[in-house]
Amino acid sequence: HEQCWDTMRSLVFLAVLLPSAVGAAEFLQGPQNATALLSSTAKFNCTVSKDWVALIWELKDVPVLMIMPQVGAVGVSDRYDMQNYTTLDTFTSELIIHNVSRQDSGPLTCGLLNAGNKDATLSVEVPGGLEILNNSLEVQWNQSATVLCRARGWYPSPGMAWMLDGSPADPGSYSTESSIDDTGLYVSTSTLLVTPTHNLTVECQASIPALAAPLRANASLVVTEGPPPVLVPAPGQPRIDRTVLIAVTVSVSAAILLVLLIILIVFCCKRKRRPSE
């Protein structure tokens, strides 16, 4: 890398001596902030006007790639690549960083000889693992159950959410706590409190900005006991109102009790008559 940097400094010195170095090139658009997943590719564009002399890309204040019209591109390693897009009046340099690591996170600069710098930031994010700790749950009907979901090895701390049978859970029904492990990565644990009245599929989600879609983990929650049975009439039969059913039951019970009471009175009267006779 040091040898490449010496080469770049020599090329810049030669560029200043060239007649074209007195050109009035300027930035038309500098690089934009970018977020990339670990081990993926990050890209930055820098557009300048014509008559430019030398363009240098720096990552965390270290030159990684230099381009000159007369020489072409010189990079410090194969990890840094480029594409050029030229029009009649503009030149666009696209810096491509392969296999990005967490150490690549930081400021990035596009420098134009005799015109200053334009800055941006590269953020490298790490998607970790995700699991529901109690992935087989049984709970009694209408009783509360606690479901735990853990995201381990993430950077930055992931946003976590829950779905119940495909619908978002109330944010008030869960809470999330995060900490940093010995490797500098985040461990987040989300706790969901749910009171089911039927079998449920619960889904835990974790996301970071660089992920196109959240990571998901699923579990089944089985209700072991249900509510009292509800009488449902057979097809074609009229539905029996519960109030009417209760009234009929009470009436029949009262009639049976009255008959039993009359029989008891008659029996007692007959026993009293026998001694007198």
Side-chain angles (χ1 to χ4, degrees):
H1 290 189
E2 185 64 28
Q3 183 178 1
C4 289
W5 175 223
D6 290 339
T7 302
M8 287 185 183
R9 282 186 292 187
S10 299
L11 290 174
V12 171
F13 178 75
L14 291 175
V16 174
L17 299 179
L18 295 175
S20 59
V22 297
E26 61 181 358
F27 285 102
L28 300 179
Q29 184 174 2
Q32 305 297 307
N33 295 340
T35 302
L37 290 175
L38 181 70
S39 300
S40 67
T41 298
K43 297 181 179 182
F44 297 87
N45 287 338
C46 187
T47 301
V48 299
S49 63
K50 63 179 182 179
D51 297 330
W52 61 281
V53 177
L55 189 149
I56 300 177
W57 287 100
E58 295 183 2
L59 180 61
K60 301 174 70 172
D61 298 325
V62 176
V64 295
L65 189 70
M66 176 180 176
I67 309 104
M68 293 180 60
Q70 298 84 358
V71 179
V74 178
V76 297
S77 77
D78 294 338
R79 273 211 319 133
Y80 304 99
D81 200 359
M82 64 163 290
Q83 289 284 344
N84 293 337
Y85 307 96
T86 304
T87 67
L88 185 62
D89 298 318
T90 66
F91 172 81
T92 297
S93 172
E94 181 180 58
L95 173 67
I96 304 171
I97 308 175
H98 300 283
N99 193 28
V100 295
S101 66
R102 288 183 60 201
Q103 288 70 31
D104 291 327
S105 294
L108 179 136
T109 300
C110 174
L112 185 61
L113 188 65
N114 297 333
N117 303 316
K118 292 294 182 180
D119 300 324
T121 300
L122 170 60
S123 300
V124 179
E125 299 185 350
V126 183
L130 184 69
E131 63 174 336
I132 294 180
L133 302 184
N134 41 354
N135 57 6
S136 179
L137 290 167
E138 289 188 357
V139 62
Q140 291 187 351
W141 178 81
N142 211 30
Q143 297 296 311
S144 296
T146 299
V147 189
L148 298 176
C149 181
R150 179 164 296 163
R152 184 185 297 275
W154 291 70
Y155 188 87
S157 178
M160 301 191 70
W162 291 85
M163 303 285 285
L164 301 178
D165 281 345
S167 298
D170 181 0
S173 65
Y174 59 89
S175 60
T176 303
E177 296 181 353
S178 298
S179 61
I180 300 178
D181 63 17
D182 296 338
T183 66
L185 299 176
Y186 282 89
V187 178
S188 299
T189 302
S190 186
T191 304
L192 170 70
L193 184 64
V194 61
T195 305
T197 56
H198 61 278
N199 293 347
L200 281 177
T201 298
V202 295
E203 179 179 277
C204 175
Q205 299 182 349
S207 61
I208 50 179
L211 274 179
L215 200 61
R216 296 176 169 88
N218 295 282
S220 297
L221 194 152
V222 178
V223 177
T224 57
E225 295 182 4
V230 178
L231 295 178
V232 179
Q237 293 184 356
R239 184 179 183 89
I240 302 176
D241 185 84
R242 181 174 294 183
T243 305
V244 175
L245 182 62
I246 294 174
V248 171
T249 303
V250 172
S251 299
V252 172
S253 300
I256 294 174
L257 183 60
L258 181 60
V259 170
L260 292 175
L261 184 59
I262 293 173
I263 293 174
L264 181 61
I265 294 173
V266 171
F267 178 76
C268 291
C269 290
K270 285 185 177 182
R271 290 190 63 182
K272 288 182 180 180
R273 286 179 183 176
R274 285 178 183 175
S276 62
E277 292 177 353

